[in-house]
């Protein structure tokens, strides 16, 4: 999904102007996602997004690819790029003659710090010319290269900034394996040819030769579009990840087999370069196929010579018209010489020295002020840590520990983590942003990782965390992986922890677990409790069996009773399920079957079936069908005022008002014809009703007399997309509309005859769906297809401002509801879950418990007036009720089923728990959550007593006992 880009630094000079123009070009092209641009430009998403980030000047090739994908003028942009390059390298810093110059001004740093050199940095990459030449010759001759070197020896830089530019006629494909290397490979290949990555992944898993065939397909497609590339150069960086974070040995072998075949096939058009840490050499020799190729493919990377170090220090500075003080050059060369893992430390120290340069000179004094060789890195990390508040320091500890893979006979390595593994709270988000600015971490759209493993070795605080919590980190890492597996297998109970593993994991500090991990452990605990209950039942049965052996006569009788009870229980459960299915066609019969089933076997499942069967006392049903659903994307939503006495129902052709004072016997009131409404909403006092039709027109009615609704006004919302939702602030003076044009509009409805536009809120990057005001009216929450929930300060609706962005859902956000006290927000999503959020201390927020019992999209959510109960409904026909008294650990109260299929909306009517739902086909059901009341009222819904034949069909072997005998 598209993500908002980070703001540009207005002090960035030429780079700011260049990036701003690139962003404007993308806007003019219709704001395509970077994934779409990557497909057209044949460069990675991160490369293209970095081009418009304003941090460094992209290469001319990347720039022109970006421009070409956006439909810009390449000739014009060649001129723009050259002017920007001249401005960046020609910045005069000689006027700085006083105190140390620590600002970043507009000049591009000649050193990359902890980051690896990339293609765009090739002009500043010096000192590895000899090694680069040897590697290029090797690849030209043998097509497969396995580059071994210590962490920090410069493997990534020499491949990216040295080898890749030496193959100008070859299309590059650069990636790291991650926990699922075959899947990562499939995504990269699928992006190149614009196809579904799932199909590619399946093909790769079934047949490694697929990689070779797809390369040929990619190259053939590029030649048809005029590209000169006739080969593909695959660079697999940080290959050790196939051992440190990939746990599937079969996938590891399939990935290696695919790479080897692509490189070694007789008609190969692929060259493969692999970079791997030298301490993983033994691991590589255990991979079939690779061990045979190593004797001809491997190449070591050693430490740089003194001459190479001098070139790496002096030449980048000279390129930027800077000088390196001779004392500094001598000190740096001495500090780095003979140390194979010293290059990231050297580069970082030079970067920090550059920030402290005097005029155009890099000085020994600046180097020492930065902390020297190794201390420069730890000083940067400590400055970052000390600037954080106490709570954010704790968030930093948890974040950095997650980003380290503990070594098994090897040194600890960095671990690339998907963003979804991190809790999306404001502390984590702030720490991530600041650590990235400090160049300690790198973050792209989907993943986060430590900038370089040198940080693990050189930051004492991180080393202390790892040493102190090593056992706990290992346990936590296993929990994270188990949670991911559980989710990927659709919550398969066989993957849950039990026994010692569950007990050990539950001993982890709760505040360090994400909501996903807590849900996994809670599911395991529930499974254990169910197993214990089964064991107790089994023991009871065993005890009974033993007793039978001791007393034959009593045993025979007891066995018969138990067998009959078991049989009768099974019959009752089957009958309860059948009652729910029958309730839409024959509600009278369904209620009797459900009631009899409950009396036979009084348990939760039969009780839920009874409540479900009773729900089909429809308020009204219209025969509009799917055609209307297609026209109004919000579906047909109900509206209920605060007193719950009236229901408004828009069905696409008319607006109908119902008297709901007795929900069992709703009474039709007034009607307005000819208005194809979608979303509607009452003011709190119920005197005014708002709605938006399929043409985007905002209507307001006076419904003081609900038998005779009167139009007050209508006007265009000015939205350019369909309007999904509308809500009204508690004081009845302000309304909000959410639209598929990605915006929210706020309206002044103090004079309902003349609604006025107050403000347009932007920030979501895709369709805005639900919008809802808080009970006090100070904030507005909005959900979107961009997976985010945004909260806005609307105290002054003419100048609304963003307060927080709640991240945690993995798919579209379709539903929102505030708790009555306004301290909790409930959200429902296409990811099959509803989430509770603590928003009592905005802008800080906290993800609480998940309500994850749905099998499909959660379409609507609601809080009861007491705030202790919530309802969620969905496409799976489920109507779930939850006890949310403990927001962190919500528990299921009832799992009801709407027999009419997909449930689109849920609204509470009364304080006694009565609520209504609306299906996709616009039938409305009322529900009672009080089982005692349902038992009392059930027979009121019966029109004719169940016959003996019907009874025998649903309750075989049970004596005829109609639960609602014929009344005289």
């Amino acid at each position: 999904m598209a993500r908002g880009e980070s703001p540009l630094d207005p002090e960035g000079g030429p780079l700011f102007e260049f990036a701003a123009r690139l962003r404007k070009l993308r806007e003019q092209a219709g704001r395509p996602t970077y994934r779409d641009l990557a497909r057209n430009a044949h460069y990675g998403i991160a490369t293209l997004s970095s081009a418009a980030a304003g941090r460094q000047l992209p290469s001319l090739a990347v720039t022109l690819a970006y421009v070409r994908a956006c439909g810009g003028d390449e000739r014009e942009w060649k001129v723009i790029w050259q002017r920007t390059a001249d401005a960046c390298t020609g910045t005069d810093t000689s006027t700085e003659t006083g105190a140390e110059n620590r600002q970043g001004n507009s000049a591009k740093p000649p050193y990359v710090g902890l980051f690896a050199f990339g293609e765009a940095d090739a002009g500043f990459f010096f000192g590895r010319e000899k090694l680069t030449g040897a590697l290029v010759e090797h690849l030209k001759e043998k097509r497969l290269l396995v580059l071994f070197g210590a962490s920090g020896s410069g493997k990534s830089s020499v491949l990216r900034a040295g080898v890749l530019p030496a193959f100008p006629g070859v299309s590059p494909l650069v990636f790291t394996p991650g926990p699922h290397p075959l899947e990562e490979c499939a995504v990269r290949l699928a992006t190149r040819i614009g196809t579904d990555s799932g199909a590619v992944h399946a093909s790769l898993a079934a047949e490694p030769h697929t990689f070779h065939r797809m390369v040929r397909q990619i190259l053939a497609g590029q030649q048809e579009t005029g590209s000169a590339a006739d080969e593909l150069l695959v660079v697999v960086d940080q290959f050790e990840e196939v051992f440190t974070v990939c746990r599937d040995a079969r996938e590891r072998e399939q990935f290696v087999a695919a790479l080897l075949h692509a490189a070694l096939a007789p008609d190969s058009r692929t060259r493969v370069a692999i970079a791997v840490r030298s301490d993983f050499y033994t691991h590589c020799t255990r991979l079939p196929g690779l061990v045979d190729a190593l004797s001809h493919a491997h190449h070591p990377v050693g430490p740089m010579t003194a001459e190479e170090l001098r070139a790496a220090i002096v030449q980048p500075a000279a390129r930027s018209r800077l000088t390196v003080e001779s004392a500094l050059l001598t000190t740096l060369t001495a500090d780095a010489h003979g140390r194979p893992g010293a290059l990231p430390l050297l580069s970082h120290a030079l970067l920090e020295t550059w920030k402290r340069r005097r005029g155009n000179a890099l000085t020994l004094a600046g180097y020492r002020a930065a902390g020297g060789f190794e201390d420069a890195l730890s000083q940067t990390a400590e400055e970052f840590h000390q600037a954080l508040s106490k709570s954010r320091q704790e968030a930093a500890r948890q974040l950095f520990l997650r980003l380290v893979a503990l070594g098994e006979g090897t040194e600890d390595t960095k671990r690339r983590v998907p963003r979804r593994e991190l809790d999306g709270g404001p502390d984590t988000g702030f720490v991530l942003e600041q650590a990235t600015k400090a160049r300690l971490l790198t973050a792209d759209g989907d993943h986060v990782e430590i900038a370089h493993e040198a940080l693990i070795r050189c930051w004492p605080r991180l080393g202390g965390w790892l040493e102190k919590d090593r056992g706990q980190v290992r346990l936590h890492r296993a929990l994270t992986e188990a949670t991911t597996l559980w989710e990927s297998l659709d919550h398969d109970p066989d993957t849950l922890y039990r026994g010692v593993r569950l007990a050990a994991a539950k001993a982890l500090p709760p505040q360090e677990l994400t909501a996903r991990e807590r849900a996994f452990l809670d599911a395991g605990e529930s499974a254990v409790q169910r197993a214990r209950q089964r064991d107790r039942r089994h023991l009871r049965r065993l005890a009974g069996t033993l007793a039978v052996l001791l007393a034959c006569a009593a045993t025979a009788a007891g066995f018969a009773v138990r067998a009959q009870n078991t049989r009768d229980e099974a019959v009752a459960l089957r009958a309860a399920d059948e009652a729910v299915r029958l309730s839409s066609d024959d509600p009278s019969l369904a209620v009797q079957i459900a009631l009899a089933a409950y009396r036979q076997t009084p348990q939760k499942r039969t009780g839920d079936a009874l409540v479900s069967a009773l729900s089909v006392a429809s308020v009204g049903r219209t025969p509009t069908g799917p055609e209307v659903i297609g026209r109004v994307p919000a579906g047909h939503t109900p509206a209920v005022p605060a007193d719950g006495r009236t229901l408004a129902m828009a069905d696409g052709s008319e607006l109908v008002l119902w008297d709901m004072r007795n929900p069992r016997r709703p009474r039709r009131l007034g009607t307005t014809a000819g208005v194809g409404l979608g979303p509607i909403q009452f003011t709190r006092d119920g005197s005014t009703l708002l709605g938006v039709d399929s043409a985007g027109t905002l209507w307001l009615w006076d419904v003081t007399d609900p038998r005779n609704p009167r139009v007050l006004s209508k006007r265009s919302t000015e939205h350019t997309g369909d309007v999904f939702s509308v809500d009204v602030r508690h004081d009845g003076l302000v309304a909000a509309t959410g639209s598929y044009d990605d915006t929210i509009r706020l309206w002044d409805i103090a004079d309902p005859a003349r609604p006025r536009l107050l403000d347009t809120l932007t920030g979501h990057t895709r369709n805005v769906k639900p919008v809802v005001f808080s009970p006090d009216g100070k904030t507005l929450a909005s959900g979107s297809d961009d997976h985010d929930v945004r909260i806005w300060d609307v105290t002054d609706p003419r100048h609304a401002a963003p307060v927080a962005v709640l991240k945690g859902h993995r798919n579209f956000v379709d539903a929102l509801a505030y708790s009555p006290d306004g301290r909790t927000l409930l959200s429902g999503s296409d990811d099959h879950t509803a989430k509770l959020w603590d928003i009592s201390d905005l802008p800080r927020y906290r993800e609480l418990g998940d309500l994850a019992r749905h099998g499909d999209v959660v379409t609507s959510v609601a809080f009861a007036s007491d705030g202790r109960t919530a309802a969620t409904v969905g496409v799976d026909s489920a109507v779930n009720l939850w006890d949310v008294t403990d927001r962190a650990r919500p528990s299921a109260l009832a799992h009801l089923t709407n027999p009419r299929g997909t449930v689109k909306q849920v609204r509470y009517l009364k304080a006694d728990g009565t609520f209504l739902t609306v299906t996709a086909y616009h039938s409305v059901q009322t529900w009672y959550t009080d089982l005692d009341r349902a038992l009392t009222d059930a027979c009121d819904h019966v029109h004719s007593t169940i016959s003996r034949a019907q009874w025998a069909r649903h309750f075989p072997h049970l004596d005829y006992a109609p639960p609602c005998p014929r009344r005289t």
Side-chain angles (χ1 to χ4, degrees), residues 147-492:
L147 193 63
F148 286 98
S151 174
S153 61
K155 302 181 298 296
S156 300
S157 295
V158 76
L159 288 179
R160 295 169 184 257
V163 172
L164 282 182
F167 287 86
V170 175
S171 181
L173 184 68
V174 184
F175 63 97
T176 56
H180 301 288
L182 207 64
E183 180 179 331
E184 185 69 24
C185 189
V187 170
R188 302 302 178 120
L189 291 173
T191 300
R192 286 294 186 91
I193 60 176
T195 190
D196 177 54
S197 62
V200 177
H201 184 208
S203 297
L204 284 172
E207 175 54 73
H209 295 187
T210 300
F211 192 114
H212 172 55
R213 289 194 294 268
M214 292 199 68
V215 169
R216 298 182 64 183
Q217 183 179 349
I218 291 170
L219 296 174
Q222 290 180 354
Q223 288 174 351
E224 289 178 2
T225 59
S227 172
D230 59 359
E231 289 190 333
L232 186 72
L233 175 53
V234 179
V235 175
V236 185
D237 202 3
Q238 299 172 35
F239 185 78
E240 60 269 16
E241 287 185 353
V242 300
F243 306 108
T244 59
V245 295
C246 176
R247 300 301 182 189
D248 188 338
R250 177 171 173 76
E251 181 174 7
R252 183 185 306 143
E253 292 175 5
Q254 289 172 330
F255 173 64
V256 172
L259 290 177
L260 292 176
H261 180 265
L264 303 179
D267 57 342
S268 172
R269 299 178 64 185
T270 307
R271 302 183 189 276
V272 177
I274 296 173
V276 59
R277 265 182 29 186
S278 53
D279 51 337
F280 283 87
Y281 183 90
T282 303
H283 294 68
C284 291
T285 63
R286 298 170 187 159
L287 290 175
L290 185 56
V291 64
D292 296 328
L294 280 179
S295 60
H296 304 291
H298 86 282
H299 200 294
V301 178
M304 297 176 76
T305 66
E307 290 77 18
E308 289 173 333
L309 285 171
R310 282 194 285 269
I313 297 166
V314 174
Q315 293 299 327
R319 185 72 181 270
S320 296
R321 301 183 184 181
L322 300 170
T323 62
V324 179
E325 194 177 74
S326 58
L328 173 61
L329 177 60
T330 301
T331 301
L332 282 170
T333 304
D335 287 345
H337 187 247
R339 301 179 60 176
L343 296 186
L345 300 177
L346 173 65
S347 187
H348 180 78
L350 282 165
L351 177 62
E352 294 300 309
T353 304
W354 175 82
K355 293 178 182 179
R356 296 164 174 80
R357 64 193 182 279
R358 294 179 63 88
N360 65 343
L362 276 63
T363 66
L364 182 61
Y367 171 69
R368 288 173 174 166
F373 193 70
E374 290 189 351
D375 289 345
L377 178 54
S378 61
Q379 181 171 304
T380 299
E382 275 304 291
E383 288 175 354
F384 148 80
H385 185 266
Q386 294 302 324
L388 301 174
S389 64
K390 188 172 182 180
S391 64
R392 286 170 173 167
Q393 287 180 349
E394 176 58 24
R397 186 184 72 86
Q398 296 177 22
L399 174 62
F400 277 86
L401 287 177
R402 281 188 180 273
L403 297 176
V404 176
L406 300 181
E408 299 284 357
T410 60
E411 292 182 355
D412 296 340
T413 60
K414 63 179 182 176
R415 176 174 176 260
R416 195 163 180 253
V417 169
R419 284 179 181 266
R420 66 177 180 272
E421 184 179 313
L422 308 177
D423 265 348
D427 284 347
T428 301
F430 181 87
V431 168
L432 179 57
E433 179 184 0
Q434 295 303 310
T436 303
K437 284 183 178 179
R439 296 189 171 220
L440 300 175
L441 301 181
T442 59
D444 58 24
D446 299 311
H447 293 84
V448 179
E449 63 182 338
I450 288 173
H452 198 281
E453 286 159 359
L455 184 65
I456 302 174
R457 301 194 306 268
C458 297
W459 188 17
R461 184 180 297 275
L462 177 55
W465 290 337
L466 288 167
E467 187 63 30
K468 177 182 177 182
D469 301 325
R470 201 166 191 81
Q472 181 173 298
V473 171
R474 201 179 298 279
L475 180 63
H476 195 172
R477 190 75 68 250
L479 170 62
T480 302
E481 293 173 356
T483 301
T484 301
L485 176 63
W486 177 62
E487 291 177 336
S488 70
L489 296 178
D490 199 22
H491 299 174
D492 185 346

Side-chain angles (χ1 to χ4, degrees), residues 567-853:
R567 182 199 66 190
D568 293 349
E569 179 181 354
V571 168
L573 293 176
R574 282 197 301 269
D577 293 341
E578 184 63 22
V580 176
R581 288 191 290 271
L582 282 172
S583 57
S584 57
D585 299 321
D586 193 342
S588 175
L589 177 60
V591 167
Q592 292 177 86
I593 294 173
L595 182 57
Y598 181 80
R599 289 177 176 175
Q600 176 63 40
T601 305
Q603 59 177 247
K604 189 174 184 300
R605 182 170 160 186
T606 52
D608 287 350
L610 176 60
V611 175
S612 298
L614 283 169
S615 73
V616 192
S618 299
V619 171
R621 187 175 184 179
T622 60
T624 49
E627 155 182 349
V628 176
I629 295 173
R631 190 166 70 241
V632 184
H636 298 282
T637 56
V640 180
D643 62 13
R645 299 176 60 176
T646 308
L647 166 68
M649 186 68 189
D651 69 1
S653 61
E654 64 179 358
L655 175 70
V656 184
L657 297 172
W658 297 83
D659 182 348
M660 298 297 292
R661 283 175 292 186
N662 182 358
R664 288 174 52 192
R665 294 181 174 82
R667 186 165 57 91
R668 189 180 176 113
L669 299 171
T671 303
T672 67
V675 179
L677 285 176
I680 56 177
Q681 187 59 271
F682 280 102
T683 55
R684 185 174 179 82
D685 62 6
S687 64
T688 306
L689 182 72
L690 287 79
V692 181
D693 64 21
S694 57
T697 302
L698 176 66
W699 295 72
L700 286 90
W701 286 271
D702 179 352
V703 289
T704 307
D705 178 3
R707 292 180 297 273
N708 184 30
R710 181 171 57 88
V711 175
L712 293 171
S713 63
K714 62 177 183 176
R715 64 152 295 170
S716 171
T717 60
E718 304 177 26
H719 282 294
T720 58
D722 293 312
V723 175
F724 186 95
S725 56
V726 61
D727 197 32
V728 184
R729 201 167 71 178
H730 72 293
D731 58 8
L733 302 179
V734 180
T737 52
S739 168
Y740 278 24
D741 65 5
D742 308 348
T743 71
I744 303 158
R745 294 181 186 268
L746 298 178
W747 303 89
D748 179 353
I749 57 171
D751 180 358
R754 296 179 180 81
R756 295 186 303 108
L757 180 63
L758 294 172
D759 198 3
T760 300
L761 312 184
T762 59
H764 284 295
T765 57
R766 295 193 63 177
N767 302 331
V768 175
K769 287 188 170 175
V771 291
V772 57
F773 284 100
S774 61
D776 62 8
K778 294 180 180 179
T779 61
L780 175 80
S782 59
S784 168
D785 284 357
D786 62 10
H787 304 186
D788 294 343
V789 177
R790 288 180 176 264
I791 299 182
W792 313 81
D793 182 349
V794 292
T795 307
D796 180 356
R798 291 165 299 185
H799 303 288
V803 177
V805 180
L806 281 55
K807 294 180 179 291
H809 281 298
R810 294 171 294 168
N811 213 321
F812 306 161
V813 179
D814 297 321
L816 291 171
Y818 276 93
S819 62
D821 62 8
R823 298 171 62 86
T824 307
L825 190 68
L826 175 60
S827 59
S829 167
D830 280 27
D831 63 11
H832 305 183
T833 69
K835 291 181 179 291
L836 290 164
W837 307 84
D838 180 355
I839 55 169
S840 59
D841 187 23
L842 292 171
R844 298 167 62 86
Y845 70 89
R846 187 163 55 95
E847 184 178 338
L848 299 171
D850 275 9
L851 313 181
R853 200 174 177 181

